[in-house]
Amino acid sequence: MAAGPSVFARAAELESGGTPFVLATVVAVRRPTSARPGASGIVHPDGTIEGWVGGSCAQPVVVREALRALADGQPRLLRLSKDAPGEGRRGDGVVELVMTCHSGGTLEIYVEPHLPAPHLWIAGTTPIAGALVALGAASGWRVSLFDPVADTEAFPAAEAVLGDRDLHLREFDAPPYVVVATQGVWDEEAVLAALRRDVAYVGLVASPTRAAVVRQWLRDETGLAEERIAALRAPAGLDLGAETAEEVALSILGELVQIRRGRAAFVAAPGPATIAGRVAATSGGEAAVPIVDDIVLVDPVCGMTVDRKDARHLAEYGGIVYAFCQMVCRTRFIHDPASFVAAASAPASVSSEPASPEA
């Protein structure tokens, strides 16, 4: 029986809803077989099938190969025959499968996976982040940007522009690919938030020296398992000799394509988590900071003045909340706050020598 419009209507419904499925279509037969050319079925990720692609001998094999297609994202042409020399992929790409039924016959079935567009999450508002938003969306990715100071109008290609806390809490139907392009502003927090979640990839735009600092901070301050830290790609992207923001973005997208198509020579997805995926933004070795109106905006570690609207690295000591220019300063402070507070509050030394008389 040829495929009726209900199969294609169902496929369109699943496609529009972003639900993964496989469309299996009989393209050729040699009788005796119960299926006819044009017969189609939809195979779902749980192994259930809607439609008809053959009898009790063919259907389990088709489902098995369909699930493999969902896993690797690659279509395949199946040839089921009692006379097959053995099971395996031929040089021309056809997958040979042995038909075990006594009725004989041959079926050729095209198995095509339909996967929703992958999610790309980008942290930061830097030029590289902007280029990655534009190129990622143009390449078919569903792009979301995360930064507390991001202007939605500045990133028109993004599907969503969200705050930094959404990086901890935003729901997803498929593991997103996360690129941190904050370039020193909130690298550590963004990388930590991504590594705590079941994502497909975490990359950091940074120099090798800066990347080493972030990795050491993760080891010293967060309690993350080493296998998760080891999956961090830093510096992110293929080594193309990129210089401009667009070239760096292109090198990162190239790496993401490698991973998505199963061509990467490294393990991209972080290993089993030791910390629950959905956590408050202030957990993981960081003391919770109360919401207050007044904070000390002079970094007690380096002396830099922090703009109130950009104050995101905070710590409390003695009932006073201090702002820091970057996570490195905050980390130094929380290990020995008393010494930094004392140094910051000490009066400037006054010379004991008498003032020179005026001429």
Side-chain angles (χ1 to χ4, degrees):
M1 180 178 63
S6 59
V7 172
F8 296 113
R10 179 65 171 143
E13 176 187 344
L14 294 171
E15 189 88 56
S16 63
T19 303
F21 67 95
V22 174
L23 182 62
T25 304
V26 178
V27 296
V29 302
R30 189 179 70 192
R31 297 183 179 181
T33 64
S34 57
R36 299 291 181 267
S40 292
I42 293 173
V43 181
H44 297 278
D46 63 359
T48 59
I49 185 169
E50 296 182 60
W52 177 262
V53 291
S56 59
C57 291
Q59 183 166 305
V61 177
V62 172
V63 169
R64 182 189 70 192
E65 294 299 322
L67 296 180
R68 289 177 176 173
L70 277 179
D72 62 24
Q74 299 299 310
R76 58 255 284 150
L77 179 61
L78 313 180
R79 185 176 185 276
L80 290 77
S81 174
K82 188 176 180 179
D83 302 325
E87 296 199 348
R89 187 181 294 271
R90 299 189 329 206
D92 57 3
V94 176
V95 179
E96 289 277 10
L97 299 164
V98 177
M99 179 82 78
T100 57
C101 291
H102 297 293
S103 60
T106 299
L107 281 172
E108 292 189 5
I109 302 174
Y110 183 64
V111 172
E112 181 183 19
H114 289 253
L115 300 171
H119 291 272
L120 174 57
W121 289 7
I122 302 166
T125 56
T126 60
I128 291 175
L132 197 51
V133 168
L135 291 176
S139 301
W141 296 72
R142 298 180 59 186
V143 181
S144 296
L145 183 124
F146 300 80
D147 198 280
V149 300
D151 180 2
T152 302
E153 295 182 357
F155 302 95
E159 184 178 273
V161 177
L162 306 162
D164 53 342
R165 291 179 182 270
D166 291 296
L167 195 57
H168 298 262
L169 303 174
R170 184 168 173 80
E171 301 287 351
F172 50 80
D173 50 15
Y177 297 71
V178 183
V179 177
V180 176
T182 56
Q183 293 186 261
V185 179
W186 54 295
D187 291 351
E188 289 88 349
E189 300 99 315
V191 168
L192 176 59
L195 288 175
R196 279 176 167 162
R197 309 203 64 184
D198 293 326
V199 299
Y201 166 94
V202 181
L204 172 65
V205 178
S207 67
T209 301
R210 175 62 181 153
V213 170
V214 173
R215 286 193 178 97
Q216 194 59 49
W217 180 86
L218 291 169
R219 293 187 179 97
D220 295 343
E221 304 295 333
T222 68
L224 281 179
E226 185 62 32
E227 60 195 52
R228 294 190 76 79
I229 299 174
L232 173 64
R233 291 292 293 175
L238 304 175
D239 186 5
L240 304 179
E243 295 183 0
T244 67
E246 290 75 16
E247 289 173 347
V248 173
L250 182 63
S251 74
I252 295 171
L253 278 174
E255 184 165 271
L256 297 184
V257 170
Q258 272 193 339
I259 297 164
R260 188 183 176 208
R261 301 306 183 188
R263 299 296 182 89
F266 56 88
V267 176
T274 55
I275 302 174
R278 296 185 62 179
V279 295
T282 55
S283 65
E286 300 182 24
V289 176
I291 299 174
V292 293
D293 293 328
D294 296 320
I295 61 177
V296 176
L297 295 174
V298 177
D299 187 326
V301 175
C302 68
M304 180 180 292
T305 299
V306 181
D307 192 324
R308 177 179 287 275
K309 67 180 176 60
D310 294 330
R312 52 169 68 96
H313 308 296
L314 306 175
E316 181 183 7
Y317 176 72
I320 300 174
V321 177
Y322 297 87
F324 303 87
C325 66
Q326 56 183 320
M327 181 58 73
V328 173
C329 288
R330 183 189 181 281
T331 299
R332 290 181 61 191
F333 177 84
I334 63 177
H335 283 301
D336 188 14
S339 64
F340 288 108
V341 170
S345 59
S349 61
V350 179
S351 174
S352 60
E353 296 294 329
S356 301
E358 293 183 359

